[in-house]
Amino acid sequence: MGLGLCEKVQQLSDHSSKRSIVKMNHERFRQFVRSSPRNYSVVVMLTALSAQRQCAVCRHAHDEFLILANSFRYSQAYSNNLFFAMVDFDEGPDVFQSLKISSAPVFMHFPAKGKIKKGDTMDIQRVGYSAEALAKWVNERTDITIRIFRPPNYSGAIVLTMLVLLVGGVMYLRRNNLDFLYNKTTWAVAALCFCFAMTSGQMWNHIRGPPFFHKAHTGQVSYIHGSSQGQFIVETYIVVILNAATVLGMIIMCEAAASKGDVQKRKVVAIVGLVVVAFFFSLVLSFFRSKAHGYPYSFLLK
């Protein structure tokens, strides 16, 4: 005989008071999420945290999901109208099979009334899985606003302090010779590094919190997102390398033109720079075409 509504709410409340995320197997999932009566919504994370599953994204997604659940648990919006649960593949493979899910992680919302709609499955490929993105999605599905409270992270302050101390130490040691501050090459390299970071999508990664890469259930790994509306973190590094190589080719050509020496040698260096620019710029266009389907332009490579 199934549990009554009051018993379900009471048991879920008891579990949530101990841990903000209720762990479920197939039986618990059927009893608390799929069966009636139910006057509460459940946000479920379907994942595979076991080391043998080799799902690096699942661990990061779980950390963000835990931040979301803890933020709700200690917020003024906390109530028995919403619960957070998790089903691990190794503990509930039947749940994955019943929902026809073949990859992880997946976030699903099971409303208190009515059937599951398309929007009740979060599109993490498009919006990422950061706690802020999860909170926005939960608000869209339940009208419950969750303000995210992240645990203090002092790593940024520590790195900044160490950087200031390092720069201050170098300037103190070389206080009698600060000519390096007027070195054009130093400032040029610093400016290029900043441009590479900003044009590669680092800020997008910071805001959206995308996965490092995507590993399908077949074991195939994707390093490039198939849509222009999303990207993986590893794409950032690829874009930086391609842009840096293109710029390097331009620098080689400029240096060949401005230098003084054997004309024949300068021509060879200039041609090498031109080849580098042409090849890597072609890769940049090809990279963009693979994401922005229908983009009409290409050069050398398709």
Side-chain angles (χ1 to χ4, degrees):
M1 184 177 178
L3 296 175
L5 178 59
C6 293
E7 292 177 292
K8 285 184 177 181
V9 174
Q10 185 60 48
Q11 288 192 27
L12 286 174
S13 298
D14 291 342
H15 285 298
S16 296
S17 65
K18 299 175 183 176
R19 291 186 176 181
S20 53
I21 299 177
V22 181
K23 291 187 177 181
M24 294 186 174
N25 53 22
H26 180 261
E27 181 58 30
R28 278 188 172 183
F29 183 79
R30 182 193 62 79
Q31 194 171 62
F32 291 106
V33 180
R34 299 297 275 175
S35 62
S36 300
R38 186 160 55 84
N39 65 348
Y40 53 84
S41 296
V42 185
V43 175
V44 180
M45 176 184 180
L46 297 114
T47 185
L49 296 176
S50 175
Q52 66 183 19
R53 300 296 174 188
Q54 298 181 348
C55 181
V57 178
C58 294
R59 179 60 60 183
H60 296 302
H62 174 264
D63 293 341
E64 293 296 313
F65 190 56
L66 184 59
I67 291 173
L68 172 71
N70 284 333
S71 298
F72 177 66
R73 179 182 176 185
Y74 298 110
S75 71
Q76 295 180 348
Y78 180 75
S79 69
N80 292 333
N81 295 325
L82 176 64
F83 295 99
F84 293 90
M86 182 181 73
V87 179
D88 193 285
F89 180 80
D90 292 313
E91 298 175 3
D94 294 338
V95 176
F96 280 73
Q97 186 176 1
S98 64
L99 296 174
K100 298 180 180 179
I101 293 175
S102 57
S103 62
V106 174
F107 297 96
M108 295 187 68
H109 167 248
F110 294 86
K113 298 179 181 179
K115 297 181 178 180
I116 298 176
K117 300 178 182 178
K118 183 179 180 181
D120 287 318
T121 300
M122 185 176 178
D123 186 0
I124 63 174
Q125 299 295 339
R126 183 175 62 86
V127 301
Y129 53 75
S130 66
E132 289 77 11
L134 286 165
K136 182 180 179 181
W137 171 70
V138 169
N139 176 254
E140 292 172 352
R141 308 317 302 172
T142 65
D143 291 327
I144 296 176
T145 302
I146 303 175
R147 183 182 177 186
I148 298 300
F149 295 96
R150 289 185 176 274
N153 185 357
Y154 300 106
S155 59
I158 293 173
V159 170
L160 180 61
T161 302
M162 292 178 64
L163 180 62
V164 171
L165 291 174
L166 178 63
V167 173
V170 171
M171 293 188 68
Y172 177 77
L173 293 174
R174 301 193 60 175
R175 59 187 180 278
N176 297 324
N177 183 12
L178 297 178
D179 292 341
F180 70 95
L181 290 176
Y182 303 96
N183 189 297
K184 294 181 180 180
T185 303
T186 301
W187 289 106
V189 171
L192 283 174
C193 291
F194 178 78
C195 291
F196 291 149
M198 292 299 102
T199 58
S200 64
Q202 287 283 3
M203 290 304 298
W204 193 94
N205 291 343
H206 181 73
I207 295 171
R208 297 295 185 90
F212 189 80
F213 56 81
H214 176 68
K215 186 173 183 179
H217 67 282
T218 58
Q220 183 179 2
V221 178
S222 299
Y223 298 106
I224 300 175
H225 197 285
S227 169
S228 60
Q229 301 300 315
Q231 73 173 13
F232 302 129
I233 293 177
V234 70
E235 283 186 52
T236 301
Y237 305 136
I238 296 174
V239 172
V240 167
I241 293 172
L242 294 180
N243 287 340
T246 304
V247 170
L248 177 62
M250 293 294 296
I251 293 174
I252 291 173
M253 286 195 295
C254 292
E255 288 295 317
S259 63
K260 297 179 180 180
D262 183 63
V263 176
Q264 200 65 29
K265 183 178 179 180
R266 289 165 56 193
K267 286 182 178 180
V268 173
V269 173
I271 292 173
V272 170
L274 179 62
V275 171
V276 171
V277 170
F279 177 74
F280 284 100
F281 184 68
S282 297
L283 283 179
V284 171
L285 288 179
S286 178
F287 185 90
F288 188 75
R289 280 171 60 89
S290 68
K291 295 177 64 64
H293 304 290
Y295 185 72
Y297 304 109
S298 64
F299 182 62
L300 297 182
L301 304 175
K302 296 295 184 180

